[in-house]
Amino acid sequence: MITILQITPNLEIGGVETNTIQEASILKKNYYNPIVISNGGKLVNDLFNNNIFHINLNVSSKNPFFIFI
């Protein structure tokens, strides 16, 4: 199974956040393993309802160097 990692600063209501949830749901239905990393937010429950793994981390920076640290 292929794992896809999606990183977004938060999962509050908005365009990018809604798209992240939709993409993760589509990936799950097509037998991929999506994982979403964010600071959390109102839409985290949508991930759990679709059985999608979420990791709550401080990813407010979009710099990959700071994300990995």
Side-chain angles (χ1 to χ4, degrees):
M1 182 179 289
I2 297 173
T3 299
I4 306 292
L5 179 64
Q6 295 175 277
I7 302 173
T8 186
N10 62 53
L11 288 173
E12 297 297 334
I13 297 173
V16 172
E17 296 83 357
T18 303
N19 191 42
T20 299
I21 302 295
Q22 290 173 345
E23 287 177 356
S25 297
I26 290 168
L27 288 168
K28 187 76 169 182
K29 290 176 186 174
N30 287 291
Y31 306 103
Y32 288 89
N33 181 33
I35 298 175
V36 178
I37 297 177
S38 77
N39 288 329
K42 296 177 183 178
L43 298 177
V44 171
N45 286 334
D46 292 349
L47 292 174
F48 290 126
N49 291 339
N50 288 307
N51 200 26
I52 297 168
F53 191 67
H54 175 260
I55 300 171
N56 194 356
L57 288 176
N58 183 7
V59 289
S60 56
S61 173
K62 294 181 183 179
N63 185 331
F65 177 75
F66 292 114
I67 291 171
F68 289 118
I69 290 177

